[in-house]
Amino acid sequence: MIRFNVPPFTGKEMDYIKKAVENQKICGDGEFTCNEWLENKTGTTKALLTTSCTHATEMAAILSNIKPGDEVIMPSYTFVSTADAFVLRGAKAVFVDVRPDTMNIDENLIEDAITEKTKAIVPVHYAGVSCEMDKIMEIANNHNLLVIEDAAQGIMSEYKGKALGTFGEYGCFSFHETKNFSMGEGGALLIRDKDNIEHAEIVREKGTNRAKFFRGQIDKYTWVDAGSSYLPSELNAAYLYAQLELANEITADRMHTWNMYFDAFEELENKERIERPFVPADCKHNAHMFYLKCKDLEERSAFIKFLGENGILAVFHYIPLHSAPAGKMFGRFNGEDVYTTKESERLVRLPLYYGLKEEEVEYIIGKVKEFYKR
Ligand SMILES: *Cc1c(COP(=O)(O)O)cnc(C)c1O
């Protein structure tokens, strides 16, 4: 069976975990907590490793002072965490339709969803392909709204040469085992403005100024604000560290697979049997995901079944949030759902992970072509 995903493993992970144990430093913010690596790689002002992307987004919601009754604009075609972080603070999720070409929030529909209650826009960079950030930042500036980027899938991706997660006040990465780089469960919060760093450090460490204490800026630390526990263990950070060292190699390996799929299916797209992903000219992506779009839900079900019978695990993706029970409770869809439901029902993802072999990719390509010969 060719699995859909295998968590990344480079070989040095066990050595680094052992080193963390030997350091006798297994709580967070030791030598393997890679805040600086993330800062250098993305150019953000400050990065903080967190226990998940969900938690990074929750931190962003706390730091943005999201309150009951506030509205937050986001796509419905996303993972639950995008909405959860804000709903937990009592806000309403206002869903906007996606563009069918990138599956990202349609930047031209955002303004229509803005009310006097709107506090923030949360663009989700689907498949590591950027949203139209120039337009989104312009809307946010004109209406005095915050931008919190769900860049869970977006590490190593760029828009006009600038790293995803660095446009808005906050950007959130995920290092879940399904992402390009992993620590099992983990994430990071990117902070754009210097003025927000101190508060973020306090929220991350149970409402204390412990970060300042460790830098020797104060002689003892104390409880200074409301906070929680978003600092991951060094054991998890050590696992991630081994992959960040090989970030370029892992990305190149994934890109090779992505390009093999993309080139192989050109003919099927020309014959209008399927659609391939679209990457706008301004976007550099990270080969997080390779998907195809079938004709409709019925064809997709047959396609997934056919691949499964041939030992290939292909999977669909999000059920739009506005049609889920919690989405109905905590959100509303602004405007018409022209593409969100229809396109989500056609989309199917093919196996893509670090270390997937060329012969396996060729086998998968062959089976996809065989299905479409029917
Ligand atoms: C993976 C993912 C998340 C959640 O990440 P966790 O680290 O598991 O909390 C949020 N949003 C999107 C778009 C994701 O793909």
Side-chain angles (χ1 to χ4, degrees), residues 268-324:
L268 279 176
E269 188 175 59
N270 291 341
K271 287 183 184 155
E272 297 185 7
R273 299 303 304 275
I274 54 155
E275 279 167 42
R276 296 179 297 169
F278 171 69
V279 181
D282 289 329
C283 302
K284 187 179 141 210
H285 75 106
N286 59 358
H288 173 63
M289 183 194 302
F290 190 89
Y291 64 81
L292 292 173
K293 285 191 190 160
C294 303
K295 186 163 71 56
D296 53 25
L297 179 59
E298 194 186 340
E299 186 183 276
R300 184 182 72 178
S301 303
F303 179 80
I304 291 174
K305 185 162 172 278
F306 176 82
L307 292 183
E309 285 162 0
N310 286 283
I312 301 162
L313 199 59
V315 293
F316 55 84
H317 213 179
Y318 309 126
I319 311 289
L321 297 183
H322 74 282
S323 49

Side-chain angles (χ1 to χ4, degrees), residues 51-55 78-79 81-82 124 150 152-153 173-176 178-179 185-187 288 318:
T51 33
S52 66
C53 178
T54 307
H55 277 169
T78 182
F79 190 55
S81 306
T82 317
V124 179
D150 182 336
Q153 305 172 12
F173 284 159
S174 173
F175 300 119
H176 185 259
T178 51
K179 301 304 198 284
E185 301 279 357
H288 173 63
Y318 309 126

